[in-house]
Amino acid sequence: MDKQPLLGLTLQQLQEIAAELNMPRFTAKQMIQWLYQKNIMSIDEMTNISKTCREKLSEKYIVGRSMPMETQVSQDGTVKYLFPTLDGHFVETVYIPDHERATLCVSSQVGCRMNCEFCQTGKQGFNGNLSAADILNQIYTVNSSLLAEKNAGLTNIVFMGQGEPLDNYDSVKLSIDCLTAEYGWAWSPKRITVSTIGLKKNLARFLRETECQLAVSLHFPLHEQRLQYMPAEKQFAIEDIVSLLSQYDWSHQRRLSFEYTMFDGVNDSTVFAKELVRLLRNIPCRVNLIPFHQIEGTQLIPTPMPRIIAFRDYLTKHGVYTTIRTSRGQDIDAACGMLTTKKNEQG
């Protein structure tokens, strides 16, 4: 990638570029409107900036936008997009319509370093971090498409696609800043949820530096078992993560949830429900139970729904607010844990 993307840059950074290229200082505010409010694809579309200035910009910079290379539509209305990245890789992005909600599940990495046994992205391996431009491109491109089709755009963003968001914290934080800034969409951070396995140092930064919602990928409440299926437990033990979260003030309407994928005969008995109650007893939170979606390369199989319901009822009875997540897009491999671009990376 020879030219640098403008998408993902702050007003101050754009002011520095304008100064570097001997452009009027107010050009930065013009650029920011084109980038974050008018959804342009190319510098040539910045029509209130002089042709000379646009030519200077084009020598070193690009907007950083691209259209999806492939689109798949599920029977339930879920849509999966395949986006190219600026450095020649690929990521999948999932749009989930649900009555008045229009949620986009965004990727933050090409593949993932965490290597969880039950996740197709983890089995892909790690191919690189996304830039803030790559992240925002997913959001802005899908939102523009929705506005054109339905006259209504996205209502929520979840960083639950490919990758571990806190393993690429700087790019994720930049994209959040652009979405919530006055010069961007001026979104409430309550409309953005970041999911993490629990990278402690960056988790502390995330809690301190943003007001977004948090979803922790828990899945196993016991150390040895979690370590068996989630290698990151060795460095980021769930007990330590919960201890950190218990020190945070959750009284100001910031939502904390724990993701718990259920595997038949592995983590779905009352023993594990009791451990969850013990682990989360001091934290105001919810638990999302997720039916496992079968993937290649693992012997894990889904827990039958009656047992998931019984598990939920036990947690609810013992004071842990619990819901069961509805599976969406499974027929196009767009459901939780099924995203992968391994074949595209190899092709």
Side-chain angles (χ1 to χ4, degrees), residues 147-302:
L147 288 172
E149 293 173 13
K150 304 179 180 182
N151 200 31
L154 297 169
T155 63
N156 298 84
I157 301 293
V158 294
F159 283 86
M160 296 182 180
Q162 290 179 265
E164 161 56 59
L166 296 192
D167 191 34
N168 187 20
Y169 179 74
D170 290 341
S171 291
V172 169
K173 174 64 165 54
L174 267 176
S175 65
I176 290 171
D177 288 346
C178 290
L179 292 169
T180 56
E182 286 298 321
Y183 60 72
W185 282 359
W187 261 26
S188 164
K190 303 298 189 294
R191 297 168 68 176
I192 302 170
T193 300
V194 174
S195 174
T196 179
I197 204 171
L199 278 64
K200 195 171 180 181
K201 181 179 178 181
N202 284 343
L203 176 56
R205 286 185 63 191
F206 171 79
L207 293 173
R208 184 172 64 250
E209 297 172 0
T210 82
E211 296 180 8
C212 297
Q213 318 284 19
L214 176 66
V216 177
S217 296
L218 196 160
H219 309 300
F220 305 93
L222 298 172
H223 171 72
E224 291 300 328
Q225 189 194 40
R226 194 169 189 258
L227 182 61
Q228 179 182 351
Y229 296 100
M230 302 172 69
E233 170 72 7
K234 183 175 182 179
Q235 189 174 359
F236 308 106
I238 192 60
E239 294 277 357
D240 293 340
I241 298 305
V242 170
S243 176
L244 170 66
L245 295 172
S246 68
Q247 299 168 30
Y248 186 80
D249 180 10
W250 295 98
S251 63
H252 51 289
Q253 298 186 347
R254 186 179 200 172
R255 188 174 66 243
L256 169 64
S257 60
F258 289 90
E259 312 295 292
Y260 195 90
T261 303
M262 302 195 67
F263 311 100
D264 187 28
V266 176
N267 67 345
D268 57 356
S269 71
T270 305
V271 171
F272 297 99
K274 289 179 179 178
E275 284 298 321
L276 271 179
V277 172
R278 175 197 64 78
L279 185 66
L280 305 179
R281 64 187 180 277
N282 295 322
I283 304 182
C285 64
R286 76 165 67 190
V287 171
N288 288 323
L289 302 181
I290 304 171
F292 175 55
H293 305 111
Q294 196 75 54
I295 62 172
E296 295 180 1
T298 180
Q299 295 183 346
L300 294 168
I301 59 175

Side-chain angles (χ1 to χ4, degrees), residues 2 9 11 16 26 42 77 92 103 190 197 244 254-255 294 298 311 314:
D2 297 322
L9 298 184
L11 178 58
E16 291 169 0
F26 63 78
S42 71
E92 292 187 324
T103 301
K190 303 298 189 294
I197 204 171
L244 170 66
R254 186 179 200 172
R255 188 174 66 243
Q294 196 75 54
T298 180
F311 199 91
Y314 181 94

